[in-house]
Amino acid sequence: MNGKAAWIISFESRYTRKIGGLGEVPPNIALRLPDKGYEAYIVTPGHGTGPSRGEPLLYLEKTGVETYLLPGPPPHIVFEGGALSDPNVYGPRVLDEKVWLLSRALQELVERLADTGLPKPVIIHGNDWHSVPPMLAAKKALAAQGTGPASVYHIHLLSRRHVDQGYLGKAGLDPWDEIPVMGRPRSIGELLEASAGSMDRLGAEASEALVTVSRRYLYTVLGVLGHRYSSRSGVVYNGTDWRITEIAEEASRLMGQRLDPREMKRWRRRLREKMLTEILEELGPGHVAVDDPEAAAFLAKVRGRGFREHGLPEGFPGDGPMVLMTGRLTRQKGFHVLLRGLEDLVAAVPDIRILLLVIPVWGSRRLIEEIVEAVELYPENLRAVFGRAATIYRPAHLAADAMAAPSIYEPFGIMAVEAMAAAAPVAASRTGGLAETVIDVREAGVMGTGLHHRPGYSSELASTLASLVLAMEAGYHEPYTAAWNRLVEAIPLEEVAQLLMENPGAPWLIRSSCIARAGEYTWEAAAEKTAGIYHEALGRAGRWVGEG
Amino acid sequence: MPWLIKPYPIILKYRGAVIYITLQTTGIHEPPMPAYMGVVSAVAPIKFIFLIHYHQPTGQLRWIYDRVYENSYRLLLDVFKKYPDVKVAIHVSGPLLLEMLERSPEYIEELVRLSENGSVELLAGSIGEAVLPLLPVEDRFYQVREYLRVFERHAGFRPRGMWLPERVWEPSLPVPLADNGIEYVFLDDTVLYRAGGWRDDALYPWLTEESGRRLGVFFIDTELRYILPWRSVGEVLAYMRSRSGDEARVLVWGSDAEKFGEWRDPGWARRWLTEFFEALRNSRDIVETVHPGEYVEQYGYRGLRYLPSGSYDKMMEWSGGFFRNFLVKYPESNNMHKKMLWVRRKLREAGPRLPEEAWRHYHLAQCNDPYWHGLFGGIYLPHLRQAVYEHYIAAERMAEEVLESYSSKKLYIHRVDQDYDGAKEVLVETPLLNIYIDPGDGGTVYELDYKEEGYEHNYMDTVTRRMEPYLENTGFRMDWYRRSSARIHLWRPWATMDDWVNNTPWMDRGDVALKKHVARIAGDGEIVLRTRGAHYSEAEGAAPLYIEKKIRVDPDEPGLTVSYLVANESERTIEALLGIEHHLAPKICRETRECGLTGYRVNGVEMPVSARWGGRARRVEIISPVSRRLVLETGRGAEIWVAPINMPARTEKGIKEIYQTLGVMPVYRISLGPGEEFREEIRLVVQRS
């Protein structure tokens, strides 16, 4: 291993257990940091995966936690035992217990770091509020050894979590404990007071750098936490490793024939038809994983219109313009906005096919019920796959004519970038990262990659989605024929219809723009930016860094 | 010995003061006692505007018109002619003016003659007797302009003043009125009081202003309106004299002509009026009748006033303080109003090629009577509602013809918030039919317009019976849902026709009757309404249901077919009497009472609308001598309940059951096991031959 060591604390990782975007970002950045001078370790609870995937590293007697090393790349230090082994990553009944236990175990690990042969980190990089106490604990333990690492607090999603000293005490952080911040020691009590109990503000207060995932979201973050952190704030856009060639390869396996991404126009519609009618119909229980036990129990009983047994979808009755929507099943993602807009959407495009690939999480039961009811009421137009459906996930993007991203708020919105990587334009709410990654066709013409609507506005979502799918559908028809004319006339947004009238090739040019736009969001760029922020953070940490 | 009592007061003059005493007696053998006595110094005769408003609504039954004409209008004319020196102001409403010009033009000629010789001042109105603030801004102007055009064509001049329908005032009205050259209107004094005016302020006309347009306002005296003509002439005069003061004081009585001869017997009315006019003729030193225009010339206006929205005291009570509330209280009133807006769009789109007649239909349909209800009829008079729809539909058809709406396409399906409630309705339009569907209200059909020329009719012109103040404590149970069609009920197995008609509580054990449905419009023009609901049982709780209604409309045939699906998604059996409720309106013949049968035919037997029928049948035909036949046909035959839905409405003659609509409900005794489905298809078609 070369370079300075960095510990990236994250509650999820694609190599252990992934729920949302957070499972992708730390490991993907970590993977590319060695080239930039940092040996990055993902520090994470195993949630029950450690023993099967890692090698035992050290048993921590005081906390009763077992640590494992996943050699990587990127290497992971995985903590197992007690609550940390509960497979429910964010279940509210175990989450705090996980935070406390990880914090105390991390302190113990630092104390016994010499026994492991692992290098001492100079950077502690926390991700979201769950990692704040562990980040502080690691910093405190390293400071006690005379090493004052710099910390970077990375907000992927603001929380409203507030805590008191009692909470931090359970994490092994006493008010008189001191940690180095910006080159001077500060007590936990002082930091807690300065942050008024806000976990996110505590993370920022205790760190040399505050990072978030898009410029628009940074304004939101600073608005909530306070503009006093602006001088040490930065943006690291997430990236994607999705490339159309690889997605096409995956889709080729489903289609049983090679799909050349350069000739997408020839096969994309066939892939869509097969996806909507056959592939969905063939999904078996083994293809779909539901982590949340409550949701799994509920889904086991779901049947009826649009569903086979166990909540598995029936195929659509036929082909049609396809919309895809993915994500964790939370209201933040705007599933309810889409459901509210269904009537308008179906009225505008009667044969529209909307496929939801959704991940139930704790507390999503009500939303599942709403979606099940909507599928029953719109059996021609709506299907849902509840759970991770790895075999169809990426090919579904390639089959889609448009992606729906109606988040109420969205720090970055990786789903939009992934859709664009698969040449699917995005109907996105104008919020956070979505406002930046998706370029509105009404402003940029064929250089655009989607259409924006105001967050929460179902009718606007319906008209943008309808416009996108009808425009993309027109791309499959000979321009100015009766069928083409019918599609273009039905486009609700006049600017989009006008664009097609002026340039019938617009749909495929927009798809190309999508691919190009997604190409700008690479993990390489994210790692480069992260390394720069580490460097600045170390500079702010001053004399403490590297001593000891 | 019987006492002879002068009906008007004894006047004594002493040193410039006037002492007046009115005598009254409780019986002819009882000595008279002073009822009113007052002293007024330096009193001037009070000016008196006697303003009589003639009105028969659009769609009035011919025999009612004839009766009122004979009993009231002729009587009034006789009196006016007999007392040409007693000045009277008269307003003839637009619909009545048009009717009279066609049927009794001599009456209008006589009024014009009386006007020319100075007895009568004729006032303007709106051509449809529409409550102007309910209308789109431009229509407010055109309603008055049309009245003036028609009036001027026959009278040769334009009135200066105007009668406001139902005296409904909103502060925006000076603009359309002044732009039509109207100088003054008549409001109730309560409007002035709400603006902070004192009682005596109402004895003078005031000016008001909006956007730089000025309008004079006379105030009708509420107290006088309540006693004239219901109390003795003497009491009326005494009251009038009690309001005397300076010479500019003017007391205004403004009310319905029909109070004289129609509300009470004509003999009484003739006697009372004659006595009153005689008294006016003989008491000029105390009461001086004037015309409003003449008054304004002589005394001008008192000053500037800004007036809040309002009307007469009772109207404020009935409407909850604001006339537009009627559109909220009665969905059917709102329905007509929003039909107006929908038709208006087409008329405007048709532009100058549209025949004038289309706008005339439109304006007559704006006649206020069926849009509200106070004590009498109004929205509960089916022939008035029917006329409103006839006129709107005729106007709509004319616009569609000009626009050639169906030249390239014969079926339109619109998703619009037609009733302005925030949720979208589905409107289906073909060359001969309009079908309005409300997914939000149980997935029901609430309007079925037939557009053939000469047969225009809304077959679903119904009304929901509301609790009216005069029905409290009478045992009346108001309707708990709108009386529209294609509504599914899951009645208790032992429910009866009476339970349905009279709203026996807790008989419908489902929640689907009121459930919001989602509407999907398929590419081929099929409309699918779906919802999930439940059947409730005291013992076994809720049983989930899946409901689907597929509505198909053939543009070449005036009809619709609804396929119903009720699926039991529960683990228990559902026992119920499944009813699919329809409300259908046979077109009422308004010309004579002897037009022929208005009612229905079932199993070969013809029944009047007043008759109930229950039994097994395949179809029910809705028949009328003045419309095409509407056939309701079930797919597999059913027990069918047919019953008139009557409203115990108050009329001039007391509370009477008034027929509103014909309820037709196929009912099916179902026992749906888990997973089982009920299916039925019901067709409604207008037969053209």
Side-chain angles (χ1 to χ4, degrees):
Chain A
M1 291 278 231
N2 297 311
K4 297 169 190 155
W7 282 5
I8 303 179
I9 307 170
S10 172
F11 260 56
E12 20 172 334
S13 164
R14 62 192 280 199
Y15 297 100
T16 54
R17 205 175 279 281
K18 178 192 162 181
I19 299 295
L22 190 57
E24 289 289 338
V25 183
N28 274 302
I29 290 176
L31 202 59
R32 290 156 180 89
L33 277 173
D35 296 344
K36 323 286 187 262
Y38 293 95
E39 290 302 328
Y41 291 80
I42 302 295
V43 174
T44 183
H47 310 295
T49 62
S52 60
R53 300 190 187 175
E55 298 158 8
L57 181 65
L58 192 66
Y59 178 69
L60 306 170
E61 289 89 359
K62 280 198 278 184
T63 48
V65 168
E66 189 74 64
T67 58
Y68 296 87
L69 184 68
L70 272 67
H76 284 53
I77 303 169
V78 178
F79 292 73
E80 291 282 6
L84 295 171
S85 294
D86 192 308
N88 201 338
V89 176
Y90 297 113
R93 281 189 290 274
V94 291
L95 186 55
D96 288 332
E97 194 60 48
K98 285 187 181 191
V99 170
W100 296 326
L101 193 52
L102 181 65
S103 300
R104 296 199 307 272
L106 206 47
Q107 284 189 57
E108 195 178 348
L109 177 69
V110 171
E111 285 160 13
R112 296 184 53 197
L113 198 57
D115 301 344
T116 64
L118 294 172
K120 271 189 187 171
V122 297
I123 291 283
I124 307 293
H125 177 166
N127 291 276
D128 281 351
W129 74 267
H130 335 90
S131 66
V132 171
M135 181 174 79
L136 265 59
K139 232 177 163 181
K140 169 194 150 187
L142 287 162
Q145 294 178 11
T147 308
S151 61
V152 173
Y153 183 47
H154 198 150
I155 296 181
H156 302 264
L157 182 64
L158 273 169
S159 82
R160 291 180 185 162
R161 194 61 202 262
H162 280 65
V163 297
D164 57 15
Q165 183 56 54
Y167 186 97
L168 294 181
K170 290 178 184 169
L173 296 164
D174 293 320
W176 50 84
D177 288 338
E178 285 191 337
I179 62 167
V181 182
M182 305 289 281
R184 69 182 181 90
R186 296 184 70 189
S187 73
I188 294 293
E190 182 193 343
L191 290 168
L192 186 62
E193 196 178 324
S195 60
S198 154
M199 199 68 116
D200 281 323
R201 200 177 292 118
L202 180 61
E205 192 71 29
S207 296
E208 281 71 19
L210 170 67
V211 183
T212 187
V213 292
S214 69
R215 190 145 302 282
R216 289 273 293 232
Y217 198 57
L218 179 60
Y219 300 146
T220 306
V221 166
L222 292 175
V224 172
L225 301 187
H227 286 271
R228 63 179 182 271
Y229 305 113
S230 59
S231 61
R232 53 175 128 149
S233 66
V235 172
V236 175
Y237 289 98
N238 292 345
T240 179
D241 53 10
W242 285 31
R243 297 290 171 263
I244 192 134
T245 44
E246 292 158 21
I247 308 169
E249 267 175 42
E250 268 185 57
S252 300
R253 285 194 286 278
L254 288 175
M255 288 291 279
Q257 65 179 100
R258 185 168 176 275
L259 305 177
D260 184 343
R262 289 166 303 183
E263 295 178 349
M264 218 179 343
K265 201 171 178 177
R266 290 180 51 192
W267 50 257
R268 195 161 174 131
R269 201 171 170 189
R270 274 189 289 122
L271 171 65
R272 181 180 84 184
E273 184 176 1
K274 183 156 179 162
M275 176 65 68
L276 293 173
T277 54
E278 293 173 36
I279 297 172
L280 269 187
E281 184 77 38
E282 288 160 8
L283 272 183
H287 296 118
V288 183
V290 182
D291 296 331
D292 182 68
E294 190 201 2
F298 175 74
L299 287 165
K301 293 184 214 152
V302 169
R303 67 185 67 173
R305 289 161 185 80
F307 292 98
R308 290 174 281 138
E309 289 190 335
H310 302 296
L312 290 167
E314 282 177 351
F316 281 100
D319 185 32
M322 177 181 167
V323 169
L324 179 68
M325 183 168 170
T326 62
R328 277 177 295 113
L329 206 44
T330 63
R331 291 195 182 259
Q332 176 234 328
K333 293 291 177 190
F335 286 100
H336 60 296
V337 181
L338 178 71
L339 296 184
R340 265 202 325 251
L342 274 179
E343 202 161 337
D344 285 346
L345 189 52
V346 171
V349 191
D351 59 343
I352 199 166
R353 311 291 186 230
I354 304 159
L355 176 60
L356 308 180
L357 298 181
V358 295
I359 300 174
V361 292
W362 187 90
S364 60
R365 164 76 180 270
R366 182 74 201 111
L367 256 180
I368 295 174
E369 286 173 356
E370 285 174 29
I371 290 173
V372 168
E373 179 167 330
V375 171
E376 284 213 303
L377 296 178
Y378 294 95
E380 299 89 352
N381 306 104
L382 184 65
R383 290 291 182 277
V385 177
F386 295 100
R388 283 177 283 107
T391 53
I392 65 162
Y393 190 72
R394 298 215 299 180
H397 287 72
L398 203 54
D401 294 298
M403 163 67 94
S407 304
I408 301 301
Y409 56 93
E410 191 61 77
F412 180 70
I414 189 69
M415 70 290 202
V417 179
E418 289 173 347
M420 290 189 285
V426 186
S429 52
R430 195 180 294 106
T431 182
L434 294 173
E436 293 177 58
T437 56
V438 177
I439 300 170
D440 198 301
V441 165
R442 285 168 291 194
E443 289 158 17
V446 295
M447 303 298 284
T449 64
L451 292 165
H452 282 130
H453 65 271
R454 284 173 289 180
Y457 280 64
S458 301
S459 55
E460 285 186 18
L461 170 67
S463 68
T464 52
L465 260 182
S467 299
L468 281 181
V469 294
L470 288 167
M472 294 300 122
E473 189 68 10
Y476 292 124
H477 293 268
E478 195 61 35
Y480 308 117
T481 58
W484 187 90
N485 283 338
R486 263 198 306 278
L487 287 165
V488 175
E489 278 167 17
I491 292 174
L493 293 177
E494 205 176 310
E495 300 99 316
V496 178
Q498 193 60 35
L499 179 68
L500 262 78
M501 294 295 283
E502 288 164 7
N503 183 354
W508 293 99
L509 292 170
I510 290 170
R511 287 197 194 274
S512 300
S513 299
C514 287
I515 297 170
R517 183 64 172 162
E520 294 171 28
Y521 295 93
T522 62
W523 290 120
E524 186 59 31
E528 187 71 42
K529 196 73 200 290
T530 304
I533 284 166
Y534 284 179
H535 182 71
E536 287 169 15
L538 289 170
R540 288 185 201 111
R543 65 184 179 82
W544 288 84
V545 179
E547 288 181 8
Chain B
M1 154 183 165
W3 290 89
L4 294 174
I5 302 163
K6 283 186 82 172
Y8 38 91
I10 299 158
I11 308 294
L12 304 169
K13 292 187 181 175
Y14 178 70
R15 290 187 179 180
V18 173
I19 301 166
Y20 62 91
I21 304 167
T22 304
L23 301 176
Q24 74 171 25
T25 175
T26 50
I28 198 158
H29 298 290
E30 297 297 320
M33 299 292 291
Y36 291 90
M37 186 164 77
V39 179
V40 182
S41 355
V43 81
I46 188 150
K47 308 295 177 293
F48 174 50
I49 294 175
F50 190 32
L51 166 49
I52 304 178
H53 159 62
Y54 287 55
H55 173 54
Q56 291 301 308
T58 301
Q60 180 60 289
L61 301 170
R62 180 58 57 92
W63 57 94
I64 302 276
Y65 171 88
D66 291 343
R67 190 184 72 207
V68 177
Y69 184 82
E70 283 301 319
N71 289 348
S72 179
Y73 301 158
R74 283 175 63 109
L75 179 157
L76 283 166
L77 192 62
D78 288 349
V79 175
F80 300 152
K81 283 160 73 177
K82 191 173 169 192
Y83 296 92
D85 51 329
V86 175
K87 292 177 179 173
V88 179
I90 290 176
H91 166 252
V92 180
S93 78
L96 180 59
L97 177 68
L98 293 171
E99 190 75 12
M100 280 185 160
L101 285 172
E102 197 183 313
R103 304 189 55 221
S104 343
E106 66 285 356
Y107 196 98
I108 299 298
E109 282 164 23
E110 294 264 28
L111 287 182
V112 171
R113 216 167 295 139
L114 284 170
S115 151
E116 284 165 355
N117 69 24
S119 294
V120 165
E121 175 176 337
L122 290 168
L123 297 174
S126 64
I127 195 68
E129 190 65 3
V131 165
L132 298 180
L134 279 192
L135 310 184
V137 172
E138 288 178 11
D139 289 1
R140 298 175 193 174
F141 174 82
Y142 285 110
Q143 271 283 347
V144 180
R145 192 196 71 168
E146 284 306 293
Y147 187 97
L148 290 171
R149 273 204 328 157
V150 172
F151 184 93
E152 191 175 14
R153 201 180 306 145
H154 292 90
F157 68 94
R158 292 165 83 98
R160 295 171 64 187
M162 179 180 150
W163 174 264
L164 273 182
E166 298 306 321
R167 284 110 72 196
V168 175
W169 169 262
E170 285 191 21
S172 60
L173 285 181
V175 176
L177 303 190
D179 287 353
N180 271 304
I182 299 295
E183 293 175 41
Y184 44 84
V185 293
F186 302 83
L187 298 182
D188 288 79
D189 52 8
T190 46
V191 179
L192 179 68
Y193 303 153
R194 291 178 71 203
W198 293 90
R199 188 160 180 244
D200 283 354
D201 291 339
L203 291 167
Y204 308 94
W206 297 80
L207 271 178
T208 189
E209 174 274 337
E210 166 75 6
S211 300
R213 314 306 204 284
R214 64 182 78 215
L215 185 70
V217 182
F218 285 91
F219 292 98
I220 294 169
D221 189 279
T222 301
E223 215 168 320
L224 182 61
R225 191 163 50 78
Y226 278 125
I227 60 172
L228 192 167
W230 312 121
R231 305 277 278 274
S232 71
V233 170
E235 285 173 78
V236 171
L237 283 187
Y239 172 74
M240 290 165 79
R241 284 170 187 134
S242 75
R243 305 302 311 278
S244 321
D246 66 75
E247 65 171 332
R249 285 191 171 202
V250 59
L251 198 58
V252 183
W253 181 93
S255 194
D256 301 334
E258 297 77 21
K259 283 182 176 173
F260 304 100
E262 175 63 14
W263 290 23
R264 281 177 67 173
D265 76 275
W268 169 85
R270 188 176 289 275
R271 282 195 301 278
W272 196 97
L273 262 183
T274 306
E275 196 176 303
F276 183 55
F277 273 55
E278 191 72 31
L280 290 173
R281 175 180 274 175
N282 294 327
S283 310
R284 288 190 186 161
D285 51 342
I286 294 159
V287 180
E288 184 185 338
T289 55
V290 289
H291 288 150
E294 172 194 3
Y295 177 94
V296 169
E297 291 302 319
Q298 195 172 346
Y299 299 104
Y301 296 102
R302 192 74 165 178
L304 176 66
R305 285 277 180 181
Y306 288 95
L307 303 165
S309 300
S311 178
Y312 50 89
D313 53 348
K314 287 289 174 195
M315 178 64 87
M316 298 302 281
E317 199 180 304
W318 300 326
S319 65
F322 189 41
F323 189 84
R324 299 193 198 204
N325 278 343
F326 287 119
L327 301 184
V328 178
K329 180 175 178 185
Y330 302 107
E332 295 81 4
S333 172
N334 191 48
N335 205 133
M336 290 186 281
H337 186 261
K338 301 310 180 289
K339 174 79 183 171
M340 167 186 86
L341 298 179
W342 183 251
V343 170
R344 185 174 197 280
R345 229 184 44 172
K346 295 186 182 183
L347 298 181
R348 285 180 61 83
E349 206 182 322
R353 288 183 300 140
L354 189 70
E356 196 177 315
E357 197 191 345
W359 282 108
R360 176 58 52 80
H361 279 298
Y362 173 79
H363 288 136
L364 287 176
Q366 292 176 330
C367 181
N368 75 83
D369 302 63
Y371 289 85
W372 63 281
H373 177 71
L375 284 180
F376 309 125
I379 195 164
Y380 292 118
L381 293 178
H383 57 283
L384 298 188
R385 298 194 310 266
Q386 174 181 306
V388 165
Y389 282 109
E390 274 171 40
H391 284 291
Y392 281 139
I393 294 166
E396 183 177 28
R397 189 196 58 252
M398 289 177 189
E400 287 174 350
E401 280 166 6
V402 169
L403 292 166
E404 297 179 6
S405 302
Y406 300 101
S407 58
S408 59
K409 195 175 162 186
K410 288 193 171 170
L411 178 73
Y412 291 89
I413 302 179
H414 308 277
R415 282 181 70 248
V416 288
D417 182 7
Q418 191 261 345
D419 59 6
Y420 288 71
D421 68 346
K424 287 182 179 159
E425 286 73 46
V426 179
L427 313 189
V428 185
E429 296 181 335
T430 72
L432 281 172
L433 220 55
N434 296 325
I435 301 154
Y436 292 3
I437 300 159
D438 189 350
D441 179 26
T444 51
V445 181
Y446 64 93
E447 187 167 330
L448 181 65
D449 298 333
Y450 184 62
K451 297 190 269 190
E452 185 186 349
E453 188 172 358
Y455 295 96
E456 297 89 348
H457 185 48
N458 172 11
Y459 282 97
M460 290 186 185
D461 164 26
T462 67
V463 76
T464 307
R465 298 169 299 182
R466 306 276 147 186
M467 177 53 77
E468 302 297 346
Y470 51 81
L471 293 175
E472 279 167 17
N473 305 318
T474 62
F476 167 77
R477 279 192 293 264
M478 63 182 277
D479 291 334
W480 53 277
Y481 55 88
R482 188 171 172 187
R483 293 281 177 179
S484 46
S485 295
R487 197 182 294 280
I488 296 178
H489 296 278
L490 293 164
W491 303 114
R492 287 186 191 274
W494 57 87
T496 65
M497 206 185 310
D498 261 335
D499 294 325
W500 163 50
V501 171
N502 296 325
N503 301 308
T504 306
W506 315 115
M507 292 308 282
D508 186 341
R509 305 306 295 165
D511 62 1
V512 296
L514 299 177
K515 266 267 169 170
K516 178 186 187 309
H517 288 52
V518 299
R520 180 179 181 274
I521 299 161
D524 58 1
E526 184 180 71
I527 298 138
V528 186
L529 302 169
R530 295 185 177 115
T531 194
R532 292 180 72 186
H535 174 266
Y536 296 88
S537 140
E538 285 91 343
E540 298 171 284
L545 295 169
Y546 175 80
I547 309 291
E548 187 178 271
K549 298 176 190 173
K550 284 188 177 167
I551 302 175
R552 290 186 304 282
V553 179
D554 180 351
D556 295 320
E557 187 190 53
L560 67 151
T561 305
V562 186
S563 304
Y564 295 87
L565 164 67
V566 177
N568 178 4
E569 294 193 335
S570 77
E571 302 297 324
R572 69 167 166 89
T573 297
I574 295 172
E575 308 274 357
L577 206 53
L578 189 151
I580 303 175
E581 181 167 356
H582 295 77
H583 287 277
L584 306 170
K587 192 170 182 178
I588 297 163
C589 172
R590 298 193 300 264
E591 288 304 306
T592 73
R593 288 174 191 271
E594 289 82 33
C595 271
L597 184 77
T598 301
Y600 56 100
R601 182 205 300 268
V602 60
N603 289 347
V605 181
E606 291 190 344
M607 316 279 278
V609 286
S610 55
R612 283 189 184 184
W613 188 88
R616 275 204 77 78
R618 190 76 188 256
R619 53 195 264 154
V620 175
E621 297 171 35
I622 305 299
I623 51 179
S624 153
V626 289
S627 75
R628 299 296 194 194
R629 179 166 301 207
L630 177 73
V631 178
L632 179 147
E633 195 168 49
T634 63
R636 56 184 184 188
E639 184 181 345
I640 301 184
W641 294 350
V642 187
I645 304 297
N646 297 332
M647 175 68 181
R650 184 164 165 168
T651 68
E652 289 99 329
K653 318 270 188 219
I655 290 187
K656 272 173 50 179
E657 290 264 313
I658 296 184
Y659 157 81
Q660 299 298 326
T661 170
L662 202 54
V664 181
M665 184 158 66
V667 288
Y668 306 83
R669 205 159 290 282
I670 59 164
S671 174
L672 284 186
E676 286 183 354
E677 294 176 345
F678 163 86
R679 286 178 188 272
E680 173 60 308
E681 192 168 275
I682 293 178
R683 194 159 165 261
L684 280 167
V685 66
V686 181
Q687 288 187 336
R688 299 187 69 182
S689 54

